[in-house]
């Protein structure tokens, strides 16, 4: 991996940093992310020491490069990154700048749960170099939040947006989840209207996915709540497109809408456009030319592996894979098809171009300027379109 990391091509398609913060106060019933409550962490792991540990990985990462690429985007995800003090998040961002250098006009985003921040916290984040905030609102219906096991009230999410704007965040995003058992069409319409009214310039809306092993999956198996409906999810998506389009938002990825180009999440676009990134923290994945790898998953195991690796200039890596040409082809088709900018037809194999013609004839996409661009109906069936293109 060091050889791949030293490849000058690492920064040619854009270079980003993902920082995973695995802590949560409680586990949401639908969540299967690599997150841990205090009771699940066990010994040897502390929020107080976490920033220092991750900064150590950043220094180890920098040592893998011959020429270090400038960092265009940074994204703190989790978990709940904002359970760490704002000063700790700023210190990690500063370490990235010190070791790699933040590019001019960089984007630095952190996810935030409404109950974990206040006005002073957000002001400190902004002063610490963060440029973008992504707030997990999910819904403005209290009964929906209850099914999702969210800790915050509907009003707290709206107040957080106001605090972010006052702190000087020009780019603020709200995340919504639709299709939760018990959610009515009016509930989601109210959530969309509330999101628009806050003045945010970005909205993400995702269908609820019931993952095996989650508390929500167990409740559904027990018959306590109904299984989410695909038909309902499709109706909700159409409602999101109609409401957000009317409010001046434009889709740029199947689940993401922005007021203008500047409001788009550049870090996520880096993923979708085939850029490269380093993932720091437990379970974080990295991607550099020709190789993908991932860190040890549990924070205690990650911390121990990092401490051990530091003695001989290594990394806390649990596994890796070399990407074959077939892997890269499939991923490129999968990712670019989901973008409003579309998939270049020249990127497809002959059988894929024939499939593109069929997809367009079925009204699932348009072929324009040498690209395949999904129609609204095609966005509802994006996975099926990708299967056709890559069959």
């Amino acid at each position: 991996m060091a050889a791949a990391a030293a490849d000058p091509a690492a920064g040619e398609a854009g270079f980003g940093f993902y920082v995973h913060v695995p802590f949560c106060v409680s586990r949401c019933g639908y969540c299967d992310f690599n997150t841990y409550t205090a009771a699940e962490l066990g010994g040897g792991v502390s929020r107080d020491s976490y920033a220092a540990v991750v900064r150590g990985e950043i220094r180890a990462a920098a040592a893998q490069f011959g020429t270090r690429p400038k960092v265009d985007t940074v994204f703190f995800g989790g978990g709940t990154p904002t359970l760490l003090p704002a000063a700790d998040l700023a210190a990690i961002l500063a370490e990235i700048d010190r070791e790699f250098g933040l590019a001019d006009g960089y984007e630095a985003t952190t996810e935030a749960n409404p109950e974990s921040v206040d006005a002073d916290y957000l002001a400190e984040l902004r002063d610490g170099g963060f440029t973008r905030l992504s707030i997990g609102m999910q819904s403005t219906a209290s009964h929906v939040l209850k099914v999702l096991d969210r800790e915050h009230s509907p009003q707290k999410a709206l107040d957080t947006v106001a605090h972010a704007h006052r702190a000087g965040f020009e780019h603020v995003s709200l995340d919504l989840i639709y299709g939760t058992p018990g959610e009515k069409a009016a509930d989601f319409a109210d959530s969309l209207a509330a999101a628009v009214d806050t003045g945010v310039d970005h909205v993400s809306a995702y269908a609820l996915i019931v993952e095996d092993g989650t508390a929500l999956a167990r409740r559904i198996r027990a018959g306590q709540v109904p299984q989410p409906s695909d038909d309902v999810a499709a109706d909700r998506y159409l409602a999101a497109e109609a409401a957000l389009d009317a409010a001046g938002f434009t889709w740029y990825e199947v689940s993401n809408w922005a007021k203008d180009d500047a409001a788009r999440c550049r870090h996520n676009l880096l993923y979708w456009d085939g850029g490269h990134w380093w993932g720091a923290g437990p379970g974080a994945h990295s991607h550099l030319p020709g190789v993908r790898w991932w860190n040890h998953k549990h924070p205690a195991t990650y911390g121990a592996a990092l401490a051990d690796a530091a003695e001989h200039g290594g990394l806390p890596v649990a596994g890796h894979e070399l990407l074959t040409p077939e892997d890269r082809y499939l991923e490129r088709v999968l990712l670019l098809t989901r973008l409003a900018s579309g998939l270049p037809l020249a990127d497809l194999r002959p059988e894929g171009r024939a499939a593109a013609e069929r997809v367009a004839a079925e009204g699932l996409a348009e072929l324009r300027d040498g690209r395949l661009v999904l129609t609204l109906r095609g966005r509802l069936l994006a996975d099926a379109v990708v299967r056709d293109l890559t069959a």
Side-chain angles (χ1 to χ4, degrees), residues 52 63 69 122 145 225 235 257 265 353:
L122 294 178
L145 295 175
V225 294
D235 289 342
W257 291 258
C265 180
R353 288 193 287 275

Side-chain angles (χ1 to χ4, degrees), residues 56-81:
E57 185 185 353
I58 293 166
R59 291 191 293 273
Q64 308 302 310
F65 288 81
T67 301
R68 300 174 186 177
K70 290 281 189 180
V71 176
D72 301 296
T73 66
V74 183
F75 195 100
F76 285 66
T80 308

Side-chain angles (χ1 to χ4, degrees), residues 26 69 83 117 160 169 217 291 341 350:
S26 62
L83 284 180
V117 298
T160 300
F169 281 94
V291 64
S341 53

